[in-house]
Amino acid sequence: MKRNSRLSLALHTLSHMAGSPDRLRTSAEIAEHSGTNPVVVRRVLGKLRQAGLLISEKGHSGGWRLALKPEDITLADVYLALDERMVATNEPSEASVCSVEYALHERVSRVLEEIEESLVRKLSETVISDVHGVKEDGEYQ
Amino acid sequence: MKRNSRLSLALHTLSHMAGSPDRLRTSAEIAEHSGTNPVVVRRVLGKLRQAGLLISEKGHSGGWRLALKPEDITLADVYLALDERMVATNEPSEASVCSVEYALHERVSRVLEEIEESLVRKLSETVISDVHGVKEDGEYQ
DNA sequence: TACTAATGCAACTGTGAAAGTTACGAATAA
DNA sequence: TTATTCGTAACTTTCACAGTTGCATTAGTA
């Protein structure tokens, strides 16, 4: 598994689940599909559980399933659940003690913030069932 | 200097330059403003030079200046010059040999690709002079 | 010419965040 | 009571990137 691929792993898994929402999938199973390992899967999906997008069941024949209908989960929900900020802003450097420098830094930060917001708005336009695709493709076992 | 801060460094520097486009600034000077060091600055700005956004002059009294007017440089130009892809897609895992898996991976990739494109479109709506701000703020020496 | 100040670049080290791994406790179905 | 699964902590590994050093090249200046 590559770097910064948690969003990709999450989307892949949720889309997969959209195909058969009632079935429980184990971390091991998902890990195999994603080319990674169960603990990493639990880490990533744990964030989605905290956000109320997934439900996990412990014990024998436990596993993961969607907490909502695939058409009610937007990509923004997933992105925000993972708590990643792609267009991150930086701390002001020591040089920014000067007020002019500080003002410039503020403006750069504000612009990046706006870009981040527009990214989230864009993400909210697509839902998981859109990613899963049309029914002709059949179900993913 | 923090992680993934190259875009921030680039925007900060270009915005700064927008204040007095004719003045040459040395890497050392820029580094001090940004709280980093000259070689890192040359690395980042070198990408912008390759993209035709900046001009560098070697030798005594050399340095960096804008190659274009601040109102002709969009944030998308800067982002693309740095060759960073914030919404990265993954290689298909070994599990994707199955055609259904492969198709799903393709769809996830396509969605992420569209998000990336929309990010660039959004970035292209802002130019460097917008970031520099209105004239009342005065020039940045 | 010699000197100085700047970029360009290669090669290397240091760092930190995220992936990967191991281990074990808790929960739950069979 | 046994097997299976998640939850989580602790640790190691990996890797991209910042940081650093050194030197060649370029160009202005005395």
Side-chain angles (χ1 to χ4, degrees), chain B residues 65-121:
Chain B
R65 62 185 174 82
L66 296 179
L68 304 170
K69 286 183 291 184
E71 58 266 32
D72 290 340
I73 302 178
T74 74
L75 302 196
D77 294 330
V78 181
Y79 174 74
L80 293 173
L82 293 180
D83 207 29
E84 296 181 336
R85 313 215 53 193
M86 294 196 168
V87 190
T89 58
N90 275 20
E91 298 300 308
S93 67
E94 321 78 54
S96 307
V97 286
C98 153
S99 74
V100 176
E101 278 296 329
Y102 182 76
L104 180 54
H105 183 274
E106 285 302 290
R107 275 195 295 274
V108 172
S109 297
R110 178 151 28 88
V111 167
L112 292 176
E113 201 68 33
E114 285 166 12
I115 299 297
E116 180 86 28
E117 281 165 20
S118 111
L119 174 62
V120 172
R121 269 197 301 280

Short mmCIF file of all heavy atoms in Angstrom, two decimals, chain B residues 65-121:
data_model
loop_
_atom_site.label_atom_id
_atom_site.label_comp_id
_atom_site.label_asym_id
_atom_site.label_seq_id
_atom_site.Cartn_x
_atom_site.Cartn_y
_atom_site.Cartn_z
N ARG B 65 13.01 36.93 -10.01
CA ARG B 65 11.90 37.86 -10.20
C ARG B 65 10.82 37.19 -11.04
O ARG B 65 11.06 36.15 -11.68
CB ARG B 65 12.37 39.16 -10.87
CG ARG B 65 12.95 38.97 -12.25
CD ARG B 65 13.49 40.29 -12.80
NE ARG B 65 14.19 40.07 -14.06
CZ ARG B 65 13.58 39.97 -15.25
NH1 ARG B 65 12.27 40.04 -15.31
NH2 ARG B 65 14.28 39.75 -16.35
N LEU B 66 9.65 37.79 -11.04
CA LEU B 66 8.53 37.24 -11.80
C LEU B 66 8.81 37.30 -13.30
O LEU B 66 9.37 38.28 -13.79
CB LEU B 66 7.24 38.03 -11.50
CG LEU B 66 6.72 37.98 -10.06
CD1 LEU B 66 5.46 38.83 -9.94
CD2 LEU B 66 6.42 36.55 -9.65
N ALA B 67 8.41 36.26 -14.00
CA ALA B 67 8.55 36.26 -15.46
C ALA B 67 7.30 36.83 -16.11
O ALA B 67 7.31 37.21 -17.28
CB ALA B 67 8.80 34.85 -15.96
N LEU B 68 6.21 36.89 -15.34
CA LEU B 68 4.93 37.38 -15.87
C LEU B 68 4.37 38.40 -14.89
O LEU B 68 4.82 38.51 -13.76
CB LEU B 68 3.94 36.22 -16.00
CG LEU B 68 4.37 35.02 -16.84
CD1 LEU B 68 3.37 33.88 -16.67
CD2 LEU B 68 4.48 35.41 -18.32
N LYS B 69 3.35 39.09 -15.36
CA LYS B 69 2.68 40.01 -14.46
C LYS B 69 1.90 39.21 -13.41
O LYS B 69 1.36 38.14 -13.72
CB LYS B 69 1.72 40.92 -15.25
CG LYS B 69 2.46 41.98 -16.07
CD LYS B 69 1.49 42.91 -16.77
CE LYS B 69 0.73 42.18 -17.88
NZ LYS B 69 -0.17 43.06 -18.65
N PRO B 70 1.83 39.73 -12.20
CA PRO B 70 1.16 39.00 -11.10
C PRO B 70 -0.28 38.63 -11.44
O PRO B 70 -0.80 37.63 -10.96
CB PRO B 70 1.19 39.99 -9.93
CG PRO B 70 2.26 40.96 -10.26
CD PRO B 70 2.39 41.01 -11.74
N GLU B 71 -0.90 39.44 -12.26
CA GLU B 71 -2.29 39.15 -12.62
C GLU B 71 -2.39 38.11 -13.73
O GLU B 71 -3.49 37.70 -14.11
CB GLU B 71 -3.03 40.44 -13.00
CG GLU B 71 -2.43 41.21 -14.15
CD GLU B 71 -1.47 42.30 -13.68
OE1 GLU B 71 -0.81 42.08 -12.62
OE2 GLU B 71 -1.35 43.33 -14.36
N ASP B 72 -1.24 37.67 -14.24
CA ASP B 72 -1.26 36.64 -15.29
C ASP B 72 -0.80 35.28 -14.76
O ASP B 72 -0.64 34.33 -15.54
CB ASP B 72 -0.36 37.07 -16.46
CG ASP B 72 -0.97 38.23 -17.24
OD1 ASP B 72 -2.20 38.44 -17.13
OD2 ASP B 72 -0.23 38.93 -17.94
N ILE B 73 -0.57 35.19 -13.46
CA ILE B 73 -0.16 33.91 -12.87
C ILE B 73 -1.29 33.40 -11.98
O ILE B 73 -1.62 34.03 -10.97
CB ILE B 73 1.12 34.07 -12.03
CG1 ILE B 73 2.25 34.63 -12.90
CG2 ILE B 73 1.53 32.74 -11.41
CD1 ILE B 73 3.55 34.88 -12.14
N THR B 74 -1.87 32.27 -12.36
CA THR B 74 -2.94 31.70 -11.54
C THR B 74 -2.36 30.71 -10.53
O THR B 74 -1.24 30.21 -10.71
CB THR B 74 -3.99 30.96 -12.39
OG1 THR B 74 -3.43 29.72 -12.84
CG2 THR B 74 -4.41 31.79 -13.60
N LEU B 75 -3.13 30.43 -9.51
CA LEU B 75 -2.69 29.44 -8.53
C LEU B 75 -2.55 28.06 -9.17
O LEU B 75 -1.73 27.25 -8.74
CB LEU B 75 -3.68 29.38 -7.35
CG LEU B 75 -3.92 30.68 -6.59
CD1 LEU B 75 -4.59 30.38 -5.26
CD2 LEU B 75 -2.64 31.45 -6.37
N ALA B 76 -3.34 27.82 -10.19
CA ALA B 76 -3.23 26.54 -10.91
C ALA B 76 -1.87 26.43 -11.59
O ALA B 76 -1.26 25.36 -11.60
CB ALA B 76 -4.36 26.41 -11.92
N ASP B 77 -1.39 27.54 -12.16
CA ASP B 77 -0.06 27.53 -12.79
C ASP B 77 0.99 27.10 -11.78
O ASP B 77 1.87 26.28 -12.07
CB ASP B 77 0.29 28.94 -13.29
CG ASP B 77 -0.62 29.39 -14.43
OD1 ASP B 77 -1.09 28.50 -15.18
OD2 ASP B 77 -0.86 30.60 -14.56
N VAL B 78 0.88 27.64 -10.58
CA VAL B 78 1.85 27.34 -9.52
C VAL B 78 1.74 25.89 -9.10
O VAL B 78 2.72 25.15 -9.03
CB VAL B 78 1.64 28.27 -8.31
CG1 VAL B 78 2.66 27.98 -7.23
CG2 VAL B 78 1.71 29.73 -8.74
N TYR B 79 0.50 25.48 -8.83
CA TYR B 79 0.25 24.10 -8.40
C TYR B 79 0.77 23.09 -9.42
O TYR B 79 1.47 22.14 -9.07
CB TYR B 79 -1.26 23.92 -8.19
CG TYR B 79 -1.69 22.52 -7.87
CD1 TYR B 79 -1.46 21.96 -6.62
CD2 TYR B 79 -2.37 21.75 -8.81
CE1 TYR B 79 -1.88 20.67 -6.32
CE2 TYR B 79 -2.79 20.46 -8.52
CZ TYR B 79 -2.54 19.93 -7.29
OH TYR B 79 -2.96 18.66 -7.00
N LEU B 80 0.46 23.33 -10.68
CA LEU B 80 0.88 22.39 -11.72
C LEU B 80 2.39 22.43 -11.92
O LEU B 80 3.01 21.41 -12.21
CB LEU B 80 0.15 22.71 -13.03
CG LEU B 80 -1.37 22.46 -12.99
CD1 LEU B 80 -2.02 22.96 -14.27
CD2 LEU B 80 -1.66 20.97 -12.79
N ALA B 81 2.98 23.60 -11.75
CA ALA B 81 4.44 23.72 -11.90
C ALA B 81 5.16 22.86 -10.86
O ALA B 81 6.20 22.29 -11.13
CB ALA B 81 4.86 25.17 -11.76
N LEU B 82 4.57 22.77 -9.67
CA LEU B 82 5.21 22.02 -8.59
C LEU B 82 5.04 20.52 -8.77
O LEU B 82 5.68 19.72 -8.09
CB LEU B 82 4.62 22.44 -7.24
CG LEU B 82 4.95 23.88 -6.83
CD1 LEU B 82 4.32 24.20 -5.49
CD2 LEU B 82 6.46 24.09 -6.77
N ASP B 83 4.13 20.15 -9.67
CA ASP B 83 3.98 18.74 -10.02
C ASP B 83 3.55 17.90 -8.83
O ASP B 83 4.02 16.78 -8.64
CB ASP B 83 5.30 18.21 -10.58
CG ASP B 83 5.07 17.06 -11.53
OD1 ASP B 83 4.00 17.04 -12.15
OD2 ASP B 83 5.95 16.19 -11.62
N GLU B 84 2.68 18.49 -8.01
CA GLU B 84 2.13 17.75 -6.89
C GLU B 84 0.71 17.34 -7.24
O GLU B 84 -0.04 18.12 -7.80
CB GLU B 84 2.07 18.63 -5.64
CG GLU B 84 3.42 19.07 -5.13
CD GLU B 84 3.28 19.91 -3.87
OE1 GLU B 84 2.22 20.52 -3.67
OE2 GLU B 84 4.26 19.96 -3.11
N ARG B 85 0.36 16.12 -6.89
CA ARG B 85 -1.02 15.69 -7.08
C ARG B 85 -1.60 15.40 -5.72
O ARG B 85 -1.27 14.40 -5.10
CB ARG B 85 -1.08 14.47 -7.98
CG ARG B 85 -0.22 14.62 -9.24
CD ARG B 85 -0.85 13.93 -10.40
NE ARG B 85 -2.21 14.35 -10.61
CZ ARG B 85 -3.07 13.71 -11.41
NH1 ARG B 85 -2.66 12.63 -12.03
NH2 ARG B 85 -4.29 14.14 -11.55
N MET B 86 -2.44 16.31 -5.27
CA MET B 86 -2.96 16.17 -3.93
C MET B 86 -3.93 15.00 -3.82
O MET B 86 -3.93 14.27 -2.84
CB MET B 86 -3.64 17.46 -3.50
CG MET B 86 -2.62 18.58 -3.38
SD MET B 86 -3.22 19.98 -2.48
CE MET B 86 -1.68 20.88 -2.25
N VAL B 87 -4.76 14.83 -4.81
CA VAL B 87 -5.72 13.74 -4.81
C VAL B 87 -5.14 12.59 -5.64
O VAL B 87 -5.49 12.40 -6.78
CB VAL B 87 -7.07 14.18 -5.38
CG1 VAL B 87 -8.12 13.12 -5.15
CG2 VAL B 87 -7.51 15.50 -4.77
N ALA B 88 -4.22 11.86 -5.02
CA ALA B 88 -3.48 10.84 -5.75
C ALA B 88 -4.30 9.57 -5.92
O ALA B 88 -5.13 9.24 -5.08
CB ALA B 88 -2.18 10.51 -5.02
N THR B 89 -4.06 8.86 -6.99
CA THR B 89 -4.69 7.56 -7.18
C THR B 89 -3.63 6.48 -7.00
O THR B 89 -2.46 6.71 -7.23
CB THR B 89 -5.30 7.43 -8.57
OG1 THR B 89 -4.29 7.63 -9.54
CG2 THR B 89 -6.38 8.47 -8.76
N ASN B 90 -4.07 5.32 -6.59
CA ASN B 90 -3.17 4.22 -6.33
C ASN B 90 -3.03 3.27 -7.51
O ASN B 90 -3.90 3.21 -8.37
CB ASN B 90 -3.67 3.41 -5.13
CG ASN B 90 -3.19 4.03 -3.85
OD1 ASN B 90 -2.82 5.19 -3.84
ND2 ASN B 90 -3.17 3.25 -2.80
N GLU B 91 -1.96 2.54 -7.45
CA GLU B 91 -1.82 1.42 -8.37
C GLU B 91 -2.86 0.38 -7.98
O GLU B 91 -3.16 0.22 -6.80
CB GLU B 91 -0.44 0.80 -8.24
CG GLU B 91 0.68 1.74 -8.59
CD GLU B 91 0.57 2.24 -10.02
OE1 GLU B 91 0.44 1.41 -10.92
OE2 GLU B 91 0.58 3.48 -10.23
N PRO B 92 -3.41 -0.30 -8.98
CA PRO B 92 -4.30 -1.41 -8.62
C PRO B 92 -3.51 -2.46 -7.85
O PRO B 92 -2.36 -2.74 -8.16
CB PRO B 92 -4.76 -1.95 -9.99
CG PRO B 92 -3.91 -1.31 -11.02
CD PRO B 92 -3.29 -0.09 -10.41
N SER B 93 -4.12 -3.02 -6.81
CA SER B 93 -3.44 -4.05 -6.03
C SER B 93 -3.48 -5.37 -6.79
O SER B 93 -4.18 -5.49 -7.79
CB SER B 93 -4.11 -4.22 -4.67
OG SER B 93 -5.40 -4.76 -4.85
N GLU B 94 -2.75 -6.32 -6.28
CA GLU B 94 -2.69 -7.63 -6.93
C GLU B 94 -4.09 -8.25 -6.99
O GLU B 94 -4.40 -9.03 -7.89
CB GLU B 94 -1.77 -8.59 -6.18
CG GLU B 94 -0.51 -7.95 -5.64
CD GLU B 94 -0.79 -7.16 -4.37
OE1 GLU B 94 -1.36 -7.74 -3.44
OE2 GLU B 94 -0.45 -5.95 -4.34
N ALA B 95 -4.91 -7.87 -6.00
CA ALA B 95 -6.26 -8.42 -5.94
C ALA B 95 -7.08 -8.00 -7.17
O ALA B 95 -8.10 -8.62 -7.48
CB ALA B 95 -6.97 -7.95 -4.67
N SER B 96 -6.64 -6.96 -7.86
CA SER B 96 -7.43 -6.40 -8.96
C SER B 96 -7.26 -7.16 -10.27
O SER B 96 -7.68 -6.69 -11.31
CB SER B 96 -7.06 -4.94 -9.18
OG SER B 96 -7.17 -4.23 -7.98
N VAL B 97 -6.63 -8.30 -10.20
CA VAL B 97 -6.55 -9.11 -11.41
C VAL B 97 -7.96 -9.53 -11.83
O VAL B 97 -8.25 -9.65 -13.01
CB VAL B 97 -5.66 -10.35 -11.22
CG1 VAL B 97 -4.20 -9.96 -11.19
CG2 VAL B 97 -6.04 -11.09 -9.94
N CYS B 98 -8.80 -9.72 -10.83
CA CYS B 98 -10.21 -10.01 -11.10
C CYS B 98 -10.83 -8.81 -11.78
O CYS B 98 -10.61 -7.66 -11.37
CB CYS B 98 -10.94 -10.32 -9.79
SG CYS B 98 -12.69 -9.95 -9.81
N SER B 99 -11.60 -9.06 -12.83
CA SER B 99 -12.09 -7.96 -13.66
C SER B 99 -13.07 -7.06 -12.92
O SER B 99 -13.13 -5.86 -13.17
CB SER B 99 -12.74 -8.51 -14.92
OG SER B 99 -13.99 -9.07 -14.60
N VAL B 100 -13.81 -7.65 -11.99
CA VAL B 100 -14.75 -6.84 -11.23
C VAL B 100 -13.99 -5.87 -10.32
O VAL B 100 -14.29 -4.68 -10.25
CB VAL B 100 -15.69 -7.75 -10.38
CG1 VAL B 100 -16.60 -6.88 -9.52
CG2 VAL B 100 -16.51 -8.65 -11.29
N GLU B 101 -12.97 -6.40 -9.65
CA GLU B 101 -12.11 -5.55 -8.83
C GLU B 101 -11.48 -4.46 -9.67
O GLU B 101 -11.39 -3.31 -9.26
CB GLU B 101 -10.99 -6.39 -8.19
CG GLU B 101 -11.41 -7.14 -6.95
CD GLU B 101 -11.80 -6.20 -5.81
OE1 GLU B 101 -11.23 -5.10 -5.72
OE2 GLU B 101 -12.68 -6.58 -5.02
N TYR B 102 -11.02 -4.84 -10.81
CA TYR B 102 -10.35 -3.89 -11.69
C TYR B 102 -11.29 -2.76 -12.09
O TYR B 102 -10.93 -1.59 -12.06
CB TYR B 102 -9.81 -4.61 -12.93
CG TYR B 102 -9.06 -3.69 -13.85
CD1 TYR B 102 -7.77 -3.27 -13.54
CD2 TYR B 102 -9.65 -3.22 -15.02
CE1 TYR B 102 -7.09 -2.41 -14.36
CE2 TYR B 102 -8.97 -2.35 -15.86
CZ TYR B 102 -7.69 -1.95 -15.53
OH TYR B 102 -7.02 -1.09 -16.35
N ALA B 103 -12.52 -3.14 -12.44
CA ALA B 103 -13.50 -2.14 -12.85
C ALA B 103 -13.80 -1.18 -11.72
O ALA B 103 -13.91 0.03 -11.94
CB ALA B 103 -14.79 -2.84 -13.30
N LEU B 104 -13.88 -1.71 -10.50
CA LEU B 104 -14.15 -0.85 -9.36
C LEU B 104 -12.99 0.11 -9.14
O LEU B 104 -13.18 1.30 -8.92
CB LEU B 104 -14.38 -1.71 -8.10
CG LEU B 104 -14.66 -0.94 -6.82
CD1 LEU B 104 -15.83 0.02 -7.01
CD2 LEU B 104 -14.95 -1.91 -5.69
N HIS B 105 -11.77 -0.43 -9.23
CA HIS B 105 -10.59 0.41 -9.07
C HIS B 105 -10.58 1.53 -10.10
O HIS B 105 -10.26 2.68 -9.79
CB HIS B 105 -9.33 -0.44 -9.20
CG HIS B 105 -8.08 0.34 -8.97
ND1 HIS B 105 -7.45 1.04 -9.97
CD2 HIS B 105 -7.37 0.59 -7.84
CE1 HIS B 105 -6.39 1.65 -9.48
NE2 HIS B 105 -6.32 1.40 -8.20
N GLU B 106 -10.94 1.18 -11.31
CA GLU B 106 -10.99 2.19 -12.38
C GLU B 106 -11.96 3.30 -12.03
O GLU B 106 -11.70 4.47 -12.28
CB GLU B 106 -11.41 1.53 -13.69
CG GLU B 106 -10.31 0.72 -14.35
CD GLU B 106 -9.08 1.57 -14.63
OE1 GLU B 106 -9.16 2.44 -15.53
OE2 GLU B 106 -8.04 1.37 -13.96
N ARG B 107 -13.11 2.91 -11.48
CA ARG B 107 -14.12 3.93 -11.16
C ARG B 107 -13.65 4.84 -10.03
O ARG B 107 -13.84 6.06 -10.10
CB ARG B 107 -15.46 3.27 -10.83
CG ARG B 107 -16.29 2.97 -12.08
CD ARG B 107 -17.73 2.68 -11.72
NE ARG B 107 -17.81 1.45 -10.93
CZ ARG B 107 -17.89 0.24 -11.46
NH1 ARG B 107 -17.94 0.09 -12.77
NH2 ARG B 107 -17.96 -0.80 -10.68
N VAL B 108 -13.04 4.24 -9.01
CA VAL B 108 -12.51 5.07 -7.92
C VAL B 108 -11.46 6.03 -8.47
O VAL B 108 -11.46 7.22 -8.16
CB VAL B 108 -11.90 4.18 -6.81
CG1 VAL B 108 -11.18 5.04 -5.77
CG2 VAL B 108 -12.98 3.35 -6.13
N SER B 109 -10.59 5.52 -9.33
CA SER B 109 -9.55 6.36 -9.93
C SER B 109 -10.15 7.49 -10.73
O SER B 109 -9.68 8.63 -10.66
CB SER B 109 -8.64 5.52 -10.84
OG SER B 109 -7.97 4.53 -10.09
N ARG B 110 -11.17 7.17 -11.48
CA ARG B 110 -11.79 8.20 -12.33
C ARG B 110 -12.41 9.30 -11.48
O ARG B 110 -12.25 10.49 -11.77
CB ARG B 110 -12.84 7.56 -13.24
CG ARG B 110 -13.57 8.56 -14.13
CD ARG B 110 -14.06 7.98 -15.45
NE ARG B 110 -14.34 6.56 -15.39
CZ ARG B 110 -15.53 6.04 -15.04
NH1 ARG B 110 -16.53 6.82 -14.71
NH2 ARG B 110 -15.69 4.73 -15.05
N VAL B 111 -13.06 8.90 -10.39
CA VAL B 111 -13.66 9.88 -9.49
C VAL B 111 -12.58 10.79 -8.90
O VAL B 111 -12.71 12.01 -8.88
CB VAL B 111 -14.46 9.18 -8.37
CG1 VAL B 111 -14.81 10.17 -7.27
CG2 VAL B 111 -15.71 8.54 -8.93
N LEU B 112 -11.48 10.17 -8.44
CA LEU B 112 -10.41 10.97 -7.84
C LEU B 112 -9.80 11.91 -8.88
O LEU B 112 -9.42 13.04 -8.58
CB LEU B 112 -9.35 10.06 -7.24
CG LEU B 112 -9.81 9.27 -6.01
CD1 LEU B 112 -8.72 8.30 -5.53
CD2 LEU B 112 -10.20 10.20 -4.88
N GLU B 113 -9.71 11.41 -10.11
CA GLU B 113 -9.19 12.22 -11.21
C GLU B 113 -10.06 13.45 -11.43
O GLU B 113 -9.57 14.57 -11.61
CB GLU B 113 -9.16 11.36 -12.48
CG GLU B 113 -8.22 11.86 -13.55
CD GLU B 113 -6.78 11.73 -13.12
OE1 GLU B 113 -6.45 10.76 -12.38
OE2 GLU B 113 -5.98 12.60 -13.50
N GLU B 114 -11.36 13.24 -11.40
CA GLU B 114 -12.30 14.35 -11.59
C GLU B 114 -12.18 15.38 -10.47
O GLU B 114 -12.27 16.58 -10.71
CB GLU B 114 -13.74 13.82 -11.67
CG GLU B 114 -14.06 13.14 -12.99
CD GLU B 114 -15.35 12.33 -12.92
OE1 GLU B 114 -16.10 12.47 -11.93
OE2 GLU B 114 -15.59 11.53 -13.85
N ILE B 115 -11.97 14.88 -9.25
CA ILE B 115 -11.80 15.77 -8.11
C ILE B 115 -10.54 16.62 -8.30
O ILE B 115 -10.53 17.83 -8.07
CB ILE B 115 -11.69 14.95 -6.80
CG1 ILE B 115 -12.96 14.14 -6.56
CG2 ILE B 115 -11.40 15.86 -5.62
CD1 ILE B 115 -14.20 14.96 -6.36
N GLU B 116 -9.48 15.97 -8.75
CA GLU B 116 -8.22 16.67 -9.02
C GLU B 116 -8.43 17.77 -10.07
O GLU B 116 -7.97 18.90 -9.91
CB GLU B 116 -7.17 15.66 -9.49
CG GLU B 116 -5.81 16.26 -9.81
CD GLU B 116 -4.91 16.38 -8.59
OE1 GLU B 116 -5.06 15.60 -7.64
OE2 GLU B 116 -4.07 17.30 -8.57
N GLU B 117 -9.15 17.42 -11.12
CA GLU B 117 -9.41 18.39 -12.18
C GLU B 117 -10.20 19.58 -11.66
O GLU B 117 -9.94 20.73 -12.01
CB GLU B 117 -10.16 17.74 -13.34
CG GLU B 117 -9.27 16.90 -14.26
CD GLU B 117 -10.09 15.98 -15.17
OE1 GLU B 117 -11.29 16.26 -15.37
OE2 GLU B 117 -9.52 14.99 -15.67
N SER B 118 -11.16 19.27 -10.82
CA SER B 118 -11.99 20.37 -10.30
C SER B 118 -11.18 21.24 -9.35
O SER B 118 -11.40 22.45 -9.27
CB SER B 118 -13.24 19.81 -9.62
OG SER B 118 -13.21 19.99 -8.24
N LEU B 119 -10.22 20.64 -8.67
CA LEU B 119 -9.32 21.41 -7.81
C LEU B 119 -8.51 22.40 -8.65
O LEU B 119 -8.39 23.58 -8.32
CB LEU B 119 -8.39 20.46 -7.06
CG LEU B 119 -7.28 21.07 -6.21
CD1 LEU B 119 -7.86 21.93 -5.09
CD2 LEU B 119 -6.37 20.00 -5.63
N VAL B 120 -7.98 21.90 -9.76
CA VAL B 120 -7.18 22.76 -10.64
C VAL B 120 -8.04 23.88 -11.23
O VAL B 120 -7.60 25.03 -11.30
CB VAL B 120 -6.53 21.93 -11.78
CG1 VAL B 120 -5.87 22.84 -12.81
CG2 VAL B 120 -5.51 20.96 -11.19
N ARG B 121 -9.26 23.54 -11.61
CA ARG B 121 -10.16 24.59 -12.13
C ARG B 121 -10.38 25.67 -11.09
O ARG B 121 -10.35 26.86 -11.40
CB ARG B 121 -11.51 23.97 -12.54
CG ARG B 121 -11.59 23.53 -13.98
CD ARG B 121 -13.05 23.32 -14.42
NE ARG B 121 -13.74 22.34 -13.61
CZ ARG B 121 -13.64 21.02 -13.77
NH1 ARG B 121 -12.86 20.55 -14.73
NH2 ARG B 121 -14.31 20.19 -13.00
#
